[in-house]
Amino acid sequence: MSAPVFLGVIGVGGVGTAFLNQLARLPNAPKLILLARSTQTLLSPTPSYSPSIPAAEWKTASATPSLTKSGALSAEEIANYLSSAPGRSILVDNTSDPALAASYPVFLRKGISIVTPNKKGFSSDLSLWKDIFASAAQGNALVYHESTVGAGLPVISTLRDLVATGDEVTRIEGVFSGTLSFLFNTFAPVGGSGAAGKKWSEVVAEAKELGYTEPDPRDDLNGMDVARKLTILARIAGLEVQAPDAFPVESLIPEELRSLDGSAEGVKTFMDRLGEFDGQMTEIKESAEKEGKVVRYVGSVDVEKKEVRVGLQRFDKDSAIAGLKGSDNIISFYTKRYGSNPLIVQGAGAGGDVTAMGVSADLIKVVQRLQ
Amino acid sequence: MSAPVFLGVIGVGGVGTAFLNQLARLPNAPKLILLARSTQTLLSPTPSYSPSIPAAEWKTASATPSLTKSGALSAEEIANYLSSAPGRSILVDNTSDPALAASYPVFLRKGISIVTPNKKGFSSDLSLWKDIFASAAQGNALVYHESTVGAGLPVISTLRDLVATGDEVTRIEGVFSGTLSFLFNTFAPVGGSGAAGKKWSEVVAEAKELGYTEPDPRDDLNGMDVARKLTILARIAGLEVQAPDAFPVESLIPEELRSLDGSAEGVKTFMDRLGEFDGQMTEIKESAEKEGKVVRYVGSVDVEKKEVRVGLQRFDKDSAIAGLKGSDNIISFYTKRYGSNPLIVQGAGAGGDVTAMGVSADLIKVVQRLQ
């Protein structure tokens, strides 16, 4: 149960850095033999694949003379390097790169397992999803991606356990974006306290200021991040969702501002002009209030009707979704066994440390299965 | 990755029956070679350990001439039988038998992995807990027990992931008994609706009627079931809890009725006389109401202070614990990474199907690791 396992890691952004910190403290960690950032790759020298890269000192490790340095390597090159290591190997993809995700089958067919928080591989065209899992079976490799939905919250693993043990998942519903959770918890709080008076554009500006949104807040407001998460959950629940744009996704970008480009100038114009449309959001909020409800941005999968939806919905003020705090996610699984009260998972669904936690926990499980 | 794995199952009560139904539908299920109920044991004949017992027809399988029948076997005998099978083997203990739990080390040292919802092994004296995990390491065997807390809810796995990835769990808090959840959600509902008028003894009688309590409701009301669950969580979080009676556990059995024996007569006298003490519970409820709160029966582990407690506590009406429905459990993990908003798991924490689900999901994971 203790064959050596080798590890390649790509990406040293927020999640990547947090992951490397966690890796450095894992007992029984696999040997880190490749660490790639955008233009630089650090490798353990072949053919010995030794010494390994010290995860604790990854920032300064490129100065270590016994390690090999290289520019950016192609996916093929990385896969060849890892698959020639003297033991099973794992690739941790801590990027959000669609091109790297598209090459997962190359790794998997060579027997390299994948652990990743990168949603792209699992939420793009259905053919890629199928290719990934067929390649994993063919290469006798594993694919773990807990952090693609709800960061480190036990969402993917719970859904897979429900399905694998023969439960019938009828419906999945929840708040899947920390950013949109914060925006609506602030814009339309249950208590209706002081903050209730803030205009939508003010809340968005505040969230941007706090770093809670993407640098371009339209990447949150267009709903595509939530749509990708729903695509993943729907597929695990058994629906053949073709792509994340194959079902209704409500964009919170006003119609009139959709033609603005993605440049810094475009972002600025968008933020400047968003206030012109505050009336629309106020109306949505007040119309919910008249029914004694609050509005939230949610996603849902109705497995029986084969319907996936992402958008605004009204919720009773005493519901769990309405009562969400801060930027928490909440995911409810309605199943045959759990009956009328769903199985609920709730908590922070974004942030480097908790996302990295999901990656580290997956890595531990993959290592346990490979050894 | 497909060496044969052999399975022995003990117990065919509510959970055991539900488990066998799930097992019958598992793809890639291990071979069932031993099925033991109180006085009867069904075995695949040695030395071939073939044919295996059909899980789908376990009720009628004892009529199959090619299988071996026997009376009750000792733990030693079962361990010898399983460890001689031509492959790795797993024991699923679906009983709540303390004697069987005390013999887990015997199985584990022989390399037999354990999967169980039986709390006894993990919540009795600390020496047994230590012996179990030391024996597992020695025998290179695995121990999975998700369903010992919160049935199939992802509680143990989540806590183990938090700890294994280096998070600091500071506090665990929640409602851990489906029975006590139902009793208090009914006795002191947040809405304060019609049911609010019911007396405590009436609510207990109703729950007993519905089959929500143990046959002897004192087994729920004494708090020991919750204390055992807290013992398990505290130990995983790193506290060396000596035993489930080594910390304060508030019993809801009135002082004056504690001397009644466990006979059917004792149960009847208890139920008959419980109403005499309704005033005490009404007072507790009303005193919470005066503060705008509701009373709930909760358990908590304060990891930093090394304190474990089980008993009544007051909660704000808009808190998640106060808003619990039916007989749901809720478990909140406060950790360094998750910050001020805990990671929360909520849902049915009792019932044959959902408890068996936790057992089946564990079994799948153990098989994956052994293959």
Side-chain angles (χ1 to χ4, degrees):
Chain A
M1 269 195 166
S2 52
V5 177
F6 297 90
L7 179 67
V9 176
I10 305 183
V12 292
V15 174
T17 301
F19 167 76
L20 288 163
N21 286 337
Q22 293 179 19
L23 178 67
R25 293 165 194 203
L26 286 191
N28 195 24
K31 289 175 202 297
L32 180 62
I33 56 168
L34 179 145
L35 178 60
R37 45 210 303 185
S38 40
T39 56
Q40 254 191 355
T41 312
L42 198 60
L43 304 116
S44 295
T46 51
S48 65
Y49 287 84
S50 169
S52 55
I53 304 164
E57 291 100 41
W58 67 269
K59 280 186 186 171
T60 52
S62 60
T64 310
S66 57
L67 294 171
T68 305
K69 287 106 213 166
S70 147
L73 300 181
S74 70
E76 281 282 356
E77 288 169 322
I78 294 174
N80 285 335
Y81 172 80
L82 289 176
S83 65
S84 303
R88 298 298 305 263
S89 62
I90 304 169
L91 176 74
V92 172
D93 169 16
N94 282 327
T95 75
S96 57
D97 182 1
L100 179 56
S103 64
Y104 290 167
V106 174
F107 290 90
L108 292 163
R109 280 195 299 269
K110 286 180 187 290
I112 301 162
S113 295
I114 302 273
V115 171
T116 186
N118 181 353
K119 286 183 278 291
K120 301 294 163 51
F122 312 96
S123 61
S124 300
D125 195 81
L126 182 61
S127 59
L128 178 56
W129 167 275
K130 288 187 175 174
D131 194 11
I132 286 173
F133 291 100
S135 301
Q138 193 188 322
N140 203 6
L142 304 171
V143 183
Y144 276 60
H145 57 101
E146 182 63 75
S147 287
T148 54
V149 180
L153 297 175
V155 175
I156 301 284
S157 53
T158 297
L159 180 55
R160 287 205 187 274
D161 282 352
L162 289 167
V163 172
T165 61
D167 201 352
E168 259 175 62
V169 179
T170 53
R171 188 175 165 77
I172 305 168
E173 180 183 77
V175 171
F176 294 91
S177 154
T179 310
L180 292 167
S181 179
F182 175 83
L183 292 177
F184 284 93
N185 299 343
T186 309
F187 178 60
V190 167
S193 64
K198 274 191 195 159
K199 286 177 186 157
W200 175 249
S201 62
E202 293 169 356
V203 175
V204 174
E206 182 190 331
K208 185 173 189 302
E209 205 61 34
L210 290 166
Y212 290 1
T213 69
E214 295 292 321
D216 184 346
R218 291 174 295 179
D219 290 340
D220 298 300
L221 297 174
N222 66 13
M224 282 314 293
D225 172 70
V226 177
R228 286 191 173 276
K229 291 169 181 166
L230 270 289
T231 300
I232 296 171
L233 296 180
R235 286 173 177 173
I236 297 175
L239 298 187
E240 295 226 319
V241 177
Q242 196 56 48
D245 57 3
F247 52 86
V249 178
E250 186 174 351
S251 172
L252 298 178
I253 302 174
E255 198 74 48
E256 295 84 344
L257 301 181
R258 285 186 198 164
S259 57
L260 293 173
D261 65 32
S263 67
E265 189 58 34
V267 177
K268 191 177 174 311
T269 309
F270 173 77
M271 292 301 291
D272 286 347
R273 294 195 54 194
L274 187 58
E276 295 171 24
F277 306 90
D278 278 340
Q280 294 175 13
M281 289 301 285
T282 304
E283 199 179 307
I284 288 169
K285 172 177 140 175
E286 289 179 348
S287 128
E289 271 170 8
K290 272 178 204 146
E291 292 181 10
K293 299 189 174 184
V294 292
V295 67
R296 293 290 182 264
Y297 194 87
V298 297
S300 63
V301 179
D302 186 321
V303 182
E304 283 164 342
K305 292 189 188 152
K306 301 189 178 183
E307 279 177 4
V308 186
R309 290 176 176 280
V310 170
L312 292 172
Q313 234 176 276
R314 296 167 183 194
F315 290 88
D316 287 332
K317 287 189 176 177
D318 66 350
S319 66
I321 284 184
L324 224 51
K325 303 267 192 300
S327 56
D328 276 6
N329 283 192
I330 185 168
I331 297 97
S332 298
F333 298 100
Y334 291 85
T335 83
K336 199 175 161 201
R337 284 188 200 136
Y338 277 88
S340 54
N341 292 348
L343 188 171
I344 300 174
V345 177
Q346 181 179 333
D353 279 344
V354 295
T355 305
M357 175 215 153
V359 178
S360 299
D362 275 354
L363 179 66
I364 291 171
K365 286 165 201 159
V366 170
V367 170
Q368 287 172 338
R369 287 185 61 181
L370 293 181
Q371 276 179 338
Chain B
M1 269 194 168
S2 51
V5 177
F6 297 90
L7 179 66
V9 176
I10 305 183
V12 291
V15 174
T17 301
F19 168 76
L20 288 164
N21 285 336
Q22 293 179 18
L23 178 68
R25 293 164 193 204
L26 286 191
N28 196 24
K31 291 174 201 295
L32 180 62
I33 55 169
L34 178 145
L35 179 59
R37 46 210 303 184
S38 40
T39 55
Q40 254 191 357
T41 312
L42 198 59
L43 305 116
S44 295
T46 51
S48 65
Y49 286 85
S50 170
S52 56
I53 303 164
E57 291 98 41
W58 65 270
K59 280 187 187 171
T60 52
S62 60
T64 309
S66 56
L67 295 171
T68 306
K69 287 108 216 165
S70 147
L73 300 180
S74 71
E76 281 282 357
E77 287 169 322
I78 294 174
N80 285 335
Y81 172 80
L82 290 176
S83 67
S84 303
R88 299 298 305 262
S89 61
I90 303 169
L91 176 74
V92 172
D93 169 16
N94 282 327
T95 74
S96 57
D97 182 1
L100 180 56
S103 64
Y104 290 168
V106 174
F107 291 90
L108 293 164
R109 279 196 298 268
K110 286 180 188 288
I112 302 162
S113 294
I114 302 273
V115 172
T116 186
N118 181 353
K119 286 183 277 293
K120 302 293 163 53
F122 312 96
S123 61
S124 300
D125 195 79
L126 182 61
S127 60
L128 177 57
W129 167 275
K130 289 186 174 175
D131 194 10
I132 286 173
F133 291 100
S135 302
Q138 194 188 323
N140 204 5
L142 305 170
V143 183
Y144 275 59
H145 57 101
E146 182 63 76
S147 287
T148 53
V149 181
L153 298 175
V155 176
I156 300 285
S157 53
T158 298
L159 180 55
R160 287 205 187 274
D161 282 353
L162 290 166
V163 172
T165 61
D167 200 352
E168 259 175 60
V169 179
T170 52
R171 187 175 165 77
I172 306 167
E173 179 183 78
V175 170
F176 293 91
S177 154
T179 310
L180 292 166
S181 181
F182 175 84
L183 292 177
F184 283 93
N185 299 344
T186 309
F187 178 61
V190 167
S193 65
K198 274 190 196 160
K199 286 178 187 159
W200 174 249
S201 63
E202 292 169 357
V203 175
V204 174
E206 182 191 330
K208 184 174 190 299
E209 205 60 34
L210 290 166
Y212 289 0
T213 68
E214 295 292 322
D216 184 347
R218 291 174 294 179
D219 290 340
D220 299 299
L221 297 173
N222 66 12
M224 282 313 294
D225 172 71
V226 177
R228 286 190 174 276
K229 291 170 182 166
L230 270 288
T231 300
I232 296 171
L233 296 179
R235 285 172 177 175
I236 297 175
L239 298 187
E240 296 226 317
V241 177
Q242 196 56 47
D245 58 3
F247 52 85
V249 178
E250 185 175 352
S251 172
L252 298 177
I253 301 174
E255 198 74 49
E256 294 83 345
L257 301 182
R258 285 186 198 163
S259 56
L260 292 172
D261 65 33
S263 66
E265 188 58 37
V267 178
K268 192 177 174 310
T269 309
F270 174 77
M271 292 301 291
D272 287 347
R273 292 196 52 195
L274 188 58
E276 295 170 25
F277 306 89
D278 278 340
Q280 293 175 14
M281 289 301 286
T282 303
E283 198 179 307
I284 288 169
K285 171 176 141 176
E286 289 179 349
S287 127
E289 271 171 6
K290 270 178 204 148
E291 293 181 9
K293 298 189 176 186
V294 292
V295 68
R296 293 290 181 265
Y297 194 87
V298 297
S300 63
V301 180
D302 186 321
V303 181
E304 282 163 344
K305 291 190 189 152
K306 301 191 179 184
E307 278 178 5
V308 186
R309 290 176 176 280
V310 170
L312 292 173
Q313 232 176 277
R314 295 166 184 195
F315 290 88
D316 287 332
K317 288 191 174 176
D318 66 350
S319 66
I321 283 185
L324 224 51
K325 304 268 192 298
S327 55
D328 276 6
N329 283 191
I330 185 169
I331 298 96
S332 298
F333 297 100
Y334 291 86
T335 82
K336 199 174 162 201
R337 283 189 201 135
Y338 277 88
S340 54
N341 292 348
L343 189 170
I344 299 175
V345 177
Q346 181 179 333
D353 278 344
V354 295
T355 305
M357 175 214 152
V359 178
S360 299
D362 275 353
L363 179 65
I364 291 170
K365 287 164 199 159
V366 170
V367 170
Q368 288 172 337
R369 288 185 62 180
L370 294 181
Q371 276 181 338

